[in-house]
Amino acid sequence: MAARARFPFDERRRRLLEIGLAAFSSRPYDEVSMDQLAAAAGVSKGLLYHYFPTKRDFYREVLVAAVEDMRRLTEPDPALPPPEQLRMGLTAFLDYARDHAAGFSALLRGGIGSDPEIARVVADFRRAVLERVLRALGVVGPGPELQLALRAWLGFAEAAALVWVEEGGVDRDLVGRLIARALHAALREVAVPMPVEDWY
Amino acid sequence: MAARARFPFDERRRRLLEIGLAAFSSRPYDEVSMDQLAAAAGVSKGLLYHYFPTKRDFYREVLVAAVEDMRRLTEPDPALPPPEQLRMGLTAFLDYARDHAAGFSALLRGGIGSDPEIARVVADFRRAVLERVLRALGVVGPGPELQLALRAWLGFAEAAALVWVEEGGVDRDLVGRLIARALHAALREVAVPMPVEDWY
DNA sequence: CCATCTGTTGACCGCTGGTCAATAAGGATG
DNA sequence: CATCCTTATTGACCAGCGGTCAACAGATGG
């Protein structure tokens, strides 16, 4: 065998997560085996378990890293006026979905979403996105109706992005406008004063 | 052991699917083993494989049955005027989500959605729902923009229903109105003439 | 009462997720 | 340069998993 290559912890971990993302993006969870992953990383299976306690934890960490990546790349500039923040945030969101199609589809579509720990990662991400929106709106204590409306709107945005990425054939900015309009409609229905009409 | 109980094919199959729905609704896919399922059904594992070729197929059939059930229970009366069809369809949809919370969450949230065969079942269901809407609208050859808008709207409706079921605390008819309004907004953005304003 | 069909079983297999004691690379210390 | 200690890394190992299969037994019809 090749000589033992000893890597610093963080670097090795990062490499393993990259390989995990590639694997879990292209095949369903249960069709990816730890042996395969280890082989793809040129490493023994035991090492995988040295870095991640279980397969599920590994998957979760892959998801966390991907979501963190997305959150970072779509972060709006707080110095901009709110309408511009929304516009740029949506554009960045759609661009990210387009450029990371496989991972975006596989992971956000819920690779194994019925697991509570996994679902929580996605739920946390969604909450973070909605907090951005609430901050831009200047709302502090959103009631249950507003929370539901915003969460539903996020479902709209995610579905729009998924279809746009998978089917194609639609202008990106049209999709962005569509999503912004949906936000307006959702907010109006729960009586949140916001002149989003001219926001996009 | 108990004497061999011989059942007619269809009945046994139906029972197995019921048990599968209960199992897959309460635990993630990979935490449900065929041995457990067989034991829960009071049956040998071999029999499970006599009815369904693989675990994945079994899961798919469970999903198909659940989706079929939902489709049947939310079917609108075509004799009603379209606005009323929408109203009743949404009400039935939300009621179904509430009354079948576990299955609705687990299965539509995508138990193992990254598998193409499984994803297709959900995709087919969504297409069927959208065809109802298109029929009610009188649209025959929807362009890509309209398809995307409607698909995004369905994401809105699904997310709204999920949150409503899981969090509670919001009036059902408010959720229904919210979803109807979102449909209006989505359609207006892609320039589909439809006076949905007074539809709900 | 036999023959056929088929719902049903239990033993079996390769592989999977997960464990663990043993090992060796490399920096620190003298 | 030898030593030591830490820890990244391995490979053998295990119970349980998804899946297979030959054999069995309850109906059904002649």
Side-chain angles (χ1 to χ4, degrees), chain A residues 17-72:
Chain A
L17 288 175
E18 275 175 28
I19 283 158
L21 179 61
F24 287 124
S25 296
S26 58
R27 271 163 300 160
Y29 179 81
D30 63 299
E31 280 185 16
V32 176
S33 80
M34 293 297 263
D35 292 87
Q36 287 169 19
L37 285 166
V43 127
S44 78
K45 186 172 61 169
L47 190 66
L48 230 53
Y49 282 94
H50 178 66
Y51 283 82
F52 308 97
T54 69
K55 180 184 181 181
R56 201 174 223 81
D57 278 282
F58 181 52
Y59 180 85
R60 207 193 70 232
E61 292 301 318
V62 167
L63 184 58
V64 165
V67 157
E68 179 63 23
D69 192 47
M70 181 166 169
R71 204 190 54 73
R72 219 186 49 248

Coordinates of all heavy atoms in Angstrom, one line a residue, chain A residues 17-72:
Chain A
L17 N -15.1 16.1 3.7 CA -16.4 16.7 3.5 C -16.6 17.0 2.0 O -17.8 16.8 1.5 CB -16.5 18.0 4.3 CG -16.6 17.8 5.8 CD1 -16.6 19.1 6.5 CD2 -17.9 17.0 6.2
E18 N -15.6 17.4 1.3 CA -15.7 17.7 -0.1 C -16.2 16.4 -0.8 O -17.1 16.4 -1.7 CB -14.4 18.2 -0.7 CG -14.2 19.6 -0.6 CD -12.8 20.0 -1.0 OE1 -12.2 19.3 -1.9 OE2 -12.2 21.0 -0.5
I19 N -15.5 15.3 -0.5 CA -15.8 14.0 -1.2 C -17.2 13.6 -0.8 O -17.9 13.1 -1.6 CB -14.7 13.0 -0.8 CG1 -13.5 13.2 -1.6 CG2 -15.2 11.6 -1.0 CD1 -12.2 12.7 -1.0
G20 N -17.6 13.8 0.4 CA -18.9 13.5 0.9 C -20.0 14.3 0.1 O -21.0 13.7 -0.4
L21 N -19.7 15.5 -0.1 CA -20.7 16.4 -0.9 C -20.9 15.8 -2.3 O -22.0 15.7 -2.8 CB -20.2 17.8 -0.9 CG -21.1 18.8 -1.7 CD1 -22.5 18.8 -1.0 CD2 -20.5 20.2 -1.8
A22 N -19.7 15.5 -2.9 CA -19.8 15.0 -4.3 C -20.6 13.7 -4.3 O -21.5 13.5 -5.2 CB -18.4 14.8 -4.8
A23 N -20.4 12.8 -3.3 CA -21.0 11.5 -3.3 C -22.5 11.7 -3.0 O -23.4 11.2 -3.8 CB -20.4 10.6 -2.3
F24 N -22.9 12.4 -2.0 CA -24.3 12.6 -1.6 C -25.1 13.4 -2.6 O -26.3 13.4 -2.6 CB -24.4 13.1 -0.2 CG -24.0 12.2 0.9 CD1 -23.0 12.5 1.8 CD2 -24.6 10.9 1.0 CE1 -22.6 11.6 2.8 CE2 -24.2 10.0 2.0 CZ -23.2 10.4 2.9
S25 N -24.4 14.2 -3.4 CA -25.1 15.0 -4.4 C -25.5 14.1 -5.6 O -26.4 14.5 -6.3 CB -24.2 16.1 -4.9 OG -23.9 17.0 -3.8
S26 N -24.7 13.0 -5.8 CA -25.0 12.3 -7.0 C -25.8 11.0 -6.8 O -26.3 10.4 -7.7 CB -23.7 12.0 -7.7 OG -22.8 11.2 -6.9
R27 N -25.8 10.5 -5.6 CA -26.6 9.3 -5.3 C -27.3 9.5 -4.0 O -26.9 10.2 -3.1 CB -25.6 8.1 -5.1 CG -25.2 7.4 -6.4 CD -24.0 6.6 -6.1 NE -22.8 7.4 -5.7 CZ -21.7 7.0 -5.1 NH1 -21.6 5.8 -4.8 NH2 -20.8 7.9 -4.8
P28 N -28.4 8.7 -3.8 CA -29.2 8.8 -2.6 C -28.4 8.3 -1.4 O -27.5 7.4 -1.5 CB -30.4 8.0 -2.8 CG -30.2 7.3 -4.1 CD -29.1 7.9 -4.8
Y29 N -28.7 8.8 -0.2 CA -28.0 8.4 1.0 C -27.7 7.0 1.2 O -26.5 6.6 1.4 CB -28.9 8.9 2.2 CG -28.3 8.6 3.5 CD1 -27.4 9.5 4.1 CD2 -28.7 7.6 4.3 CE1 -26.8 9.3 5.3 CE2 -28.2 7.3 5.6 CZ -27.3 8.2 6.1 OH -26.8 7.9 7.3
D30 N -28.6 6.1 1.0 CA -28.4 4.7 1.3 C -27.6 4.0 0.2 O -27.2 2.8 0.4 CB -29.7 4.0 1.6 CG -30.6 4.0 0.4 OD1 -31.0 5.1 -0.1 OD2 -30.9 2.9 -0.1
E31 N -27.4 4.7 -0.9 CA -26.6 4.0 -1.9 C -25.2 4.5 -1.8 O -24.3 4.1 -2.6 CB -27.2 4.4 -3.3 CG -28.4 3.6 -3.7 CD -28.8 3.8 -5.1 OE1 -28.1 4.5 -5.9 OE2 -30.0 3.4 -5.4
V32 N -24.9 5.3 -0.9 CA -23.5 5.7 -0.6 C -23.0 5.0 0.6 O -23.6 5.1 1.7 CB -23.4 7.3 -0.4 CG1 -22.0 7.6 0.0 CG2 -23.9 8.0 -1.6
S33 N -22.0 4.1 0.4 CA -21.5 3.4 1.6 C -20.2 4.0 2.1 O -19.5 4.7 1.4 CB -21.2 1.9 1.2 OG -20.0 1.8 0.5
M34 N -20.0 3.8 3.4 CA -18.8 4.4 4.0 C -17.5 3.8 3.4 O -16.5 4.5 3.3 CB -18.9 4.1 5.5 CG -20.0 4.8 6.2 SD -19.8 6.6 6.1 CE -19.0 7.0 7.7
D35 N -17.6 2.5 3.0 CA -16.5 1.9 2.3 C -16.1 2.7 1.0 O -15.0 3.0 0.7 CB -16.8 0.4 2.0 CG -16.8 -0.4 3.2 OD1 -17.9 -0.5 3.8 OD2 -15.8 -1.0 3.7
Q36 N -17.2 2.9 0.2 CA -17.0 3.7 -1.0 C -16.4 5.0 -0.7 O -15.4 5.5 -1.4 CB -18.3 3.9 -1.7 CG -18.9 2.6 -2.4 CD -20.3 2.9 -2.8 OE1 -20.8 4.0 -3.0 NE2 -21.1 1.8 -3.0
L37 N -16.9 5.7 0.2 CA -16.5 7.1 0.6 C -15.0 7.0 1.0 O -14.2 7.8 0.5 CB -17.3 7.6 1.7 CG -18.7 8.1 1.4 CD1 -19.5 8.4 2.6 CD2 -18.6 9.4 0.6
A38 N -14.7 6.0 1.8 CA -13.3 5.9 2.3 C -12.4 5.6 1.1 O -11.3 6.2 0.9 CB -13.2 4.8 3.3
A39 N -12.8 4.7 0.2 CA -12.0 4.4 -1.0 C -11.8 5.6 -1.9 O -10.7 5.9 -2.4 CB -12.7 3.3 -1.8
A40 N -12.9 6.4 -2.1 CA -12.8 7.6 -2.9 C -11.9 8.6 -2.3 O -11.2 9.4 -3.0 CB -14.2 8.2 -3.0
A41 N -11.7 8.6 -1.0 CA -10.8 9.5 -0.3 C -9.4 8.9 -0.2 O -8.5 9.6 0.3 CB -11.4 9.9 1.0
G42 N -9.3 7.7 -0.6 CA -8.0 7.0 -0.5 C -7.5 6.8 0.9 O -6.4 7.0 1.3
V43 N -8.5 6.3 1.7 CA -8.3 6.3 3.1 C -9.1 5.1 3.7 O -10.0 4.5 3.0 CB -8.9 7.6 3.7 CG1 -9.9 7.4 4.8 CG2 -7.7 8.5 4.1
S44 N -8.7 4.6 4.8 CA -9.4 3.4 5.4 C -10.7 3.9 6.0 O -10.9 5.0 6.4 CB -8.6 2.8 6.5 OG -8.6 3.5 7.6
K45 N -11.7 2.9 6.1 CA -13.0 3.3 6.6 C -12.8 3.7 8.1 O -13.6 4.6 8.5 CB -13.9 2.1 6.5 CG -15.3 2.4 6.9 CD -16.3 1.2 6.6 CE -15.9 0.0 7.4 NZ -17.0 -1.0 7.3
G46 N -11.9 3.1 8.8 CA -11.7 3.4 10.2 C -11.4 4.9 10.4 O -11.9 5.5 11.3
L47 N -10.7 5.5 9.4 CA -10.4 6.9 9.5 C -11.6 7.8 9.5 O -11.7 8.8 10.2 CB -9.4 7.3 8.5 CG -8.8 8.7 8.7 CD1 -7.9 8.7 9.9 CD2 -8.0 9.2 7.5
L48 N -12.5 7.4 8.6 CA -13.8 8.1 8.4 C -14.4 8.2 9.8 O -14.9 9.3 10.2 CB -14.7 7.4 7.4 CG -15.3 8.2 6.3 CD1 -14.2 9.0 5.6 CD2 -16.1 7.4 5.4
Y49 N -14.4 7.1 10.5 CA -15.1 7.0 11.8 C -14.2 7.7 12.9 O -14.7 8.0 14.0 CB -15.4 5.6 12.2 CG -16.6 5.1 11.5 CD1 -16.5 4.4 10.3 CD2 -17.9 5.3 12.0 CE1 -17.6 3.9 9.6 CE2 -19.0 4.9 11.3 CZ -18.9 4.2 10.1 OH -20.0 3.7 9.5
H50 N -13.0 8.0 12.6 CA -12.2 8.8 13.5 C -12.6 10.3 13.4 O -12.5 11.0 14.4 CB -10.7 8.7 13.1 CG -9.8 9.5 14.0 ND1 -9.6 9.2 15.4 CD2 -9.0 10.5 13.7 CE1 -8.8 10.1 15.9 NE2 -8.4 10.9 14.9
Y51 N -13.1 10.7 12.2 CA -13.5 12.1 12.0 C -14.9 12.3 12.3 O -15.3 13.4 12.7 CB -13.1 12.5 10.6 CG -11.6 12.8 10.4 CD1 -10.7 11.8 10.2 CD2 -11.1 14.1 10.6 CE1 -9.4 12.1 10.1 CE2 -9.8 14.4 10.4 CZ -8.9 13.4 10.2 OH -7.6 13.6 10.1
F52 N -15.8 11.3 12.0 CA -17.2 11.5 12.2 C -17.8 10.2 12.9 O -17.5 9.1 12.4 CB -17.9 11.7 10.8 CG -17.3 12.8 10.0 CD1 -16.3 12.5 9.1 CD2 -17.6 14.1 10.3 CE1 -15.7 13.5 8.3 CE2 -17.0 15.1 9.6 CZ -16.1 14.8 8.6
P53 N -18.5 10.4 13.9 CA -18.9 9.2 14.7 C -19.8 8.2 14.0 O -19.7 7.0 14.2 CB -19.7 9.8 15.9 CG -19.9 11.3 15.5 CD -18.9 11.6 14.5
T54 N -20.7 8.7 13.1 CA -21.6 7.8 12.4 C -21.8 8.4 11.0 O -21.4 9.5 10.6 CB -23.0 7.8 13.0 OG1 -23.7 9.0 12.8 CG2 -23.0 7.4 14.5
K55 N -22.3 7.5 10.1 CA -22.6 7.9 8.7 C -23.5 9.1 8.7 O -23.4 10.1 8.0 CB -23.2 6.8 8.0 CG -23.5 7.1 6.5 CD -24.2 5.9 5.8 CE -24.5 6.2 4.4 NZ -25.2 5.1 3.7
R56 N -24.5 9.0 9.6 CA -25.5 10.1 9.6 C -24.9 11.4 10.0 O -25.2 12.5 9.5 CB -26.6 9.7 10.7 CG -27.9 10.4 10.5 CD -28.9 9.9 11.4 NE -30.2 9.8 10.8 CZ -30.5 8.8 10.0 NH1 -29.7 7.8 9.8 NH2 -31.7 8.8 9.4
D57 N -24.0 11.4 11.0 CA -23.3 12.6 11.4 C -22.4 13.1 10.3 O -22.4 14.3 10.1 CB -22.4 12.3 12.6 CG -23.1 12.3 13.9 OD1 -23.4 13.4 14.4 OD2 -23.5 11.2 14.4
F58 N -21.8 12.2 9.6 CA -21.0 12.6 8.4 C -21.9 13.4 7.4 O -21.6 14.5 7.0 CB -20.4 11.4 7.7 CG -19.5 11.8 6.6 CD1 -18.5 12.7 6.7 CD2 -19.7 11.1 5.3 CE1 -17.7 13.0 5.6 CE2 -18.9 11.4 4.3 CZ -17.9 12.4 4.4
Y59 N -23.0 12.8 7.1 CA -24.0 13.4 6.2 C -24.4 14.8 6.7 O -24.4 15.7 5.9 CB -25.2 12.5 6.0 CG -26.2 13.1 5.0 CD1 -26.1 12.9 3.7 CD2 -27.3 13.8 5.5 CE1 -27.0 13.4 2.8 CE2 -28.2 14.4 4.7 CZ -28.1 14.2 3.3 OH -29.0 14.7 2.5
R60 N -24.7 14.8 8.0 CA -25.1 16.1 8.5 C -24.0 17.2 8.4 O -24.3 18.3 8.1 CB -25.5 15.9 10.0 CG -26.5 16.9 10.5 CD -26.6 16.9 12.0 NE -25.4 17.4 12.7 CZ -24.7 16.9 13.6 NH1 -25.0 15.7 14.1 NH2 -23.6 17.5 14.1
E61 N -22.8 16.7 8.7 CA -21.7 17.7 8.6 C -21.5 18.2 7.1 O -21.2 19.4 6.9 CB -20.4 17.1 9.1 CG -20.4 16.8 10.6 CD -20.7 18.1 11.4 OE1 -20.1 19.2 11.1 OE2 -21.5 18.1 12.4
V62 N -21.7 17.3 6.2 CA -21.6 17.7 4.8 C -22.7 18.7 4.5 O -22.4 19.7 3.9 CB -21.8 16.4 3.9 CG1 -22.0 16.9 2.4 CG2 -20.6 15.5 3.9
L63 N -23.9 18.4 5.0 CA -25.0 19.3 4.8 C -24.7 20.7 5.4 O -24.9 21.8 4.8 CB -26.3 18.7 5.3 CG -27.6 19.5 5.1 CD1 -27.8 19.7 3.6 CD2 -28.7 18.7 5.7
V64 N -24.2 20.6 6.6 CA -23.9 21.9 7.4 C -22.9 22.7 6.6 O -23.1 23.9 6.4 CB -23.4 21.6 8.8 CG1 -22.7 22.8 9.4 CG2 -24.5 21.1 9.7
A65 N -21.9 22.1 6.1 CA -20.8 22.8 5.4 C -21.4 23.4 4.1 O -21.1 24.6 3.8 CB -19.7 21.9 5.0
A66 N -22.3 22.7 3.4 CA -22.8 23.2 2.1 C -23.8 24.4 2.4 O -23.7 25.4 1.7 CB -23.6 22.1 1.4
V67 N -24.6 24.2 3.5 CA -25.5 25.3 3.8 C -24.8 26.5 4.3 O -25.1 27.6 4.0 CB -26.4 24.7 4.9 CG1 -27.0 25.9 5.7 CG2 -27.6 23.9 4.3
E68 N -23.7 26.3 5.0 CA -22.9 27.4 5.5 C -22.3 28.2 4.3 O -22.3 29.4 4.3 CB -21.7 26.9 6.4 CG -20.8 27.9 6.9 CD -21.5 28.9 7.8 OE1 -22.6 28.6 8.4 OE2 -21.0 30.1 8.0
D69 N -21.8 27.4 3.4 CA -21.3 27.9 2.1 C -22.3 28.8 1.5 O -22.0 30.0 1.1 CB -20.8 26.8 1.2 CG -20.0 27.2 0.1 OD1 -19.1 28.0 0.3 OD2 -20.3 26.8 -1.1
M70 N -23.5 28.3 1.3 CA -24.5 29.0 0.7 C -24.9 30.3 1.4 O -25.1 31.4 0.8 CB -25.8 28.1 0.5 CG -26.9 28.7 -0.2 SD -28.1 27.5 -0.6 CE -29.5 28.5 -1.1
R71 N -25.0 30.2 2.7 CA -25.4 31.3 3.5 C -24.3 32.4 3.3 O -24.7 33.6 3.2 CB -25.4 30.9 5.0 CG -26.3 31.7 5.9 CD -26.1 31.4 7.4 NE -24.7 31.5 7.8 CZ -24.0 32.6 7.9 NH1 -24.6 33.8 7.7 NH2 -22.7 32.6 8.3
R72 N -23.1 32.1 3.3 CA -22.0 33.0 3.2 C -22.1 33.7 1.8 O -22.0 35.0 1.7 CB -20.7 32.3 3.3 CG -19.6 33.1 4.1 CD -18.3 32.5 4.1 NE -17.9 32.1 2.8 CZ -17.8 30.8 2.3 NH1 -18.0 29.8 3.1 NH2 -17.4 30.6 1.1

